[in-house]
DNA sequence: CGGGCTTATACTCATCACGAGTAGTAGAAA
DNA sequence: TTTCTACTACTCGTGATGAGTATAAGCCCG
């Protein structure tokens, strides 16, 4: 490995995307920034054996949160992403982690934001969001009409695949592709010509991109790993479970089929207790750990 | 964001896992280290707008390689992973990228290594590798017998799931879990008590862990994204395609079903040409780009 | 020049996952 | 007792997947 001439100091930070689902709403933990809200962040120090431990440490110190499930998401290192307090020309490397927690009370200086306030085009539970056809599709069409012929074709293909246009199917997992397309097309606040004119609530620097990455990853993972249970209490009804999954996927699921999937796969076991609801009381369940041995890809949502 | 007291200088490097498949053998590009082979690596410099562009630049400079498909894999930042030339107490952050290329002639100072020489327990194409039952399973059993009762149960569960023991199914994607388990159990050279006694060819520091990460990611991705075509020439026969997929998955596929899957999904289109083989000549195909619009998850291997 | 080898290609069959729908059940509230 | 809400049990059709049978098209060799 040769050390190039253009070496530069590198600043490394850890960013936490802490996710919870409360009452059908997926929420992400934000702290107040100078201007826009931002994700909680910290730096690894010499005493932290691993990056993940560093993250857990500062989540506890800064926000009093004991994180459960934690997974590394992505490392962001573009040149244009230094905050205003960073030395010019320095590259900031941000290692983003996804953490799943149960709902908790909001903490001082921080608050939960609805993920779908940040990314409104991602929530299809109440049907196709109007913002798609009203603003996004026309703007993408304009964006795709620019450039050389080859470039126009490439842009149109990207837009079609990401947003399920021209006969393509909407793929819930492509959240990042969608965000980046909107960014390039100037439709999200951080990149919009006039501040405040963008779609969805803006966040500092590229933090909304990180949330989009997290949502996409989680939507994928839910179909083959039992991660949802990290967001639920010890025991729960099948409808509660379904609501959390729907909140993550951003689409409704067929109730009977969901039940068949989850029970048939042996993902849950009945506790024997009943929980009073506003209708007929529901049986409560808990996660059934043995499923990890029985199935290679125990997911709580259909693959499609 | 508060700046903790324990801040430390951070060294950032990019590591490239460059993969090719030649004649049924998946290979990774290695460069000669002081002692053990290592992955090609470089540093981002101020002129590189993104980390991915930095990677492409130094791959071209250092090895004369023009990378095609590139994807970020994982960022490694444990404390114990500084090379011997690094200042003590410094944390080295390595952002690892996976790159797929067509086979090329070996370059000066670098060579292709068979991935399954590095991770012999991962290749099940010729049946279950003997090293599993001869060395790994007994050693894992010894490893799992240590610690408190709760710890023993947790270890046994991890081993069962990762290696498909006690009725669990072998999951090709869990390459990283397997490598880490072997590491903890002291079975891979880098961690082995006596050097040279480990299973598989050792690499510098944690580079073999990176290769394991890459293989696992690729095995997963192959089932829902048409990445294999990055490893193949423009046109190919279905058997060539199948051999590449099998090389990645480490298991054999049913020929007729593979054909049905690939043709039925519209992943390929016939070129009209025939290629002479050692038997009946085979029709050649090329990747059919339109499939990206037609299918949400166009994969070239079954999900299981 | 025909048998045997190798590889390619075309079908069939059973099973299972999944989307969608019908129907009936259990408790609470009015 | 009605009505509302939510829970639970089945059925049907389609498509994906694993596995196997049969046939075709070249080559090599005796």
């Amino acid at each position: 490995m040769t050390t190039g001439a253009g070496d530069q100091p590198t600043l490394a930070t850890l960013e936490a995307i802490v996710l919870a689902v409360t009452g059908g709403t997926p929420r992400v933990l934000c702290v107040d920034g100078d201007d826009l809200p931002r994700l909680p962040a910290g730096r690894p120090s010499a005493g932290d054996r691993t990056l993940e431990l560093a993250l857990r440490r500062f989540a506890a110190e800064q926000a009093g949160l004991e994180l459960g499930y934690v997974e590394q998401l992505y490392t962001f290192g573009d040149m244009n992403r230094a905050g205003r307090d960073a030395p010019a020309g320095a590259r900031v490397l941000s290692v983003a982690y996804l953490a799943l927690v149960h709902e908790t009370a909001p903490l001082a200086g921080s608050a939960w934001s609805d993920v779908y306030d940040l990314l409104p085009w991602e929530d299809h539970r109440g049907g196709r969001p109007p913002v798609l056809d009203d603003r996004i599709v026309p703007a993408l069409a304009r964006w795709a009409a620019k450039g050389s012929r080859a470039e126009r074709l490439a842009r149109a293909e990207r837009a079609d695949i990401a947003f399920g246009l021209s006969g393509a199917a909407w793929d819930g997992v492509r959240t990042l592709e969608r965000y980046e397309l909107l960014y390039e097309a100037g439709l999200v606040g951080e990149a919009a010509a006039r501040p405040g004119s963008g779609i969805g609530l803006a966040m500092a620097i590229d933090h909304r991109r990180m949330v989009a990455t997290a949502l996409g990853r989680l939507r994928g993972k839910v179909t083959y790993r039992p991660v949802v249970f990290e967001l639920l209490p010890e025991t729960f009804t099948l409808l509660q479970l379904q609501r959390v999954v729907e909140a993550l996927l951003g689409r409704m699921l067929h109730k009977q089929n969901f039940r068949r999937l989850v029970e048939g796969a042996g993902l849950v076991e009945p506790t024997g207790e009943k929980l009073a609801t506003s209708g007929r009381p529901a049986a409560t369940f808990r996660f059934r750990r043995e499923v990890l041995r029985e199935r290679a890809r125990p997911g709580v949502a259909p693959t499609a």
Side-chain angles (χ1 to χ4, degrees), chain A:
Chain A
M1 178 175 66
T2 54
T3 297
D7 275 17
Q8 56 178 340
T10 310
L11 230 56
T13 71
L14 301 176
E15 315 270 336
I17 294 118
V18 181
L19 230 90
V21 178
T22 336
T25 311
R27 298 177 204 271
V28 63
L29 189 66
C30 294
V31 299
D32 298 332
D34 300 335
D35 180 16
L36 298 169
R38 43 191 310 136
L39 294 169
R43 298 227 173 88
S45 66
D48 300 312
R49 199 166 47 76
T50 70
L51 296 179
E52 189 186 309
L53 288 173
L55 184 90
R56 290 181 186 274
R57 175 184 57 73
F58 89 70
E61 284 174 12
Q62 248 185 66
L65 268 181
E66 289 300 326
L67 303 182
Y69 179 86
V70 166
E71 128 182 20
Q72 189 186 300
L73 249 195
Y74 197 81
T75 297
F76 298 84
D78 283 8
M79 263 319 247
N80 62 352
R81 53 185 303 285
R84 69 191 51 154
D85 47 343
R91 183 185 297 275
V92 180
L93 223 63
S94 290
V95 186
Y97 278 82
L98 167 62
L100 304 182
V101 299
H102 309 266
E103 54 174 313
T104 38
L107 308 124
S110 57
W112 295 102
S113 297
D114 186 340
V115 169
Y116 295 126
D117 285 344
L118 300 168
L119 314 167
W121 55 88
E122 293 291 347
D123 188 4
H124 291 227
R125 284 175 296 176
R128 189 177 170 83
V131 71
L132 267 172
D133 296 311
D134 292 351
R135 299 188 56 189
I136 293 179
V137 172
L140 285 176
R142 286 194 299 277
W143 170 81
K146 286 179 198 148
S148 68
R149 181 176 159 69
E151 203 174 355
R152 290 202 305 276
L153 282 175
R155 286 184 173 201
E157 189 190 51
R158 280 181 66 199
D160 288 350
I161 293 170
F163 285 91
L165 311 174
S166 311
W170 177 274
D171 185 352
V173 157
R174 298 188 189 265
T175 50
L176 180 61
E177 283 168 70
R178 284 189 281 271
Y179 182 81
E180 301 208 316
L181 229 51
L182 295 184
Y183 186 91
E184 288 184 46
L187 282 171
V188 286
E190 294 87 334
R194 294 172 298 118
S197 68
I199 301 174
L201 254 47
M203 291 185 72
I205 330 175
D206 53 359
H207 289 193
R208 209 155 35 137
R209 180 183 312 247
M210 296 182 188
V211 175
T213 309
L215 184 62
R217 178 84 129 251
L218 201 49
R219 282 181 173 178
K221 208 142 209 172
V222 140
T223 65
Y224 65 93
R225 291 285 127 99
V227 277
V228 235
F229 301 105
E230 308 286 341
L231 297 164
L232 282 161
E234 181 69 17
T235 69
F236 46 82
T237 70
L238 291 187
L239 188 57
Q240 285 172 357
L241 176 60
Q242 183 179 349
R243 290 290 174 249
V244 172
V245 175
E246 288 171 339
L248 296 177
L249 296 182
R251 66 187 176 94
M252 298 301 250
L253 297 173
H254 182 109
K255 186 168 179 171
Q256 295 90 321
N257 291 346
F258 180 79
R259 179 191 193 81
R260 175 179 59 187
L261 177 74
V262 166
E263 282 196 292
L267 271 159
V268 296
E269 60 189 2
T271 62
E273 310 285 298
K274 294 249 171 198
L275 188 72
T277 67
S278 51
R280 168 177 169 180
T284 61
F285 294 81
R286 71 171 66 87
F287 173 53
R288 190 169 151 277
R289 205 144 213 293
E290 298 79 40
V291 75
L292 295 171
R293 275 202 171 86
E294 295 162 5
R295 310 225 159 210
R297 316 184 81 231
V300 83
T303 319

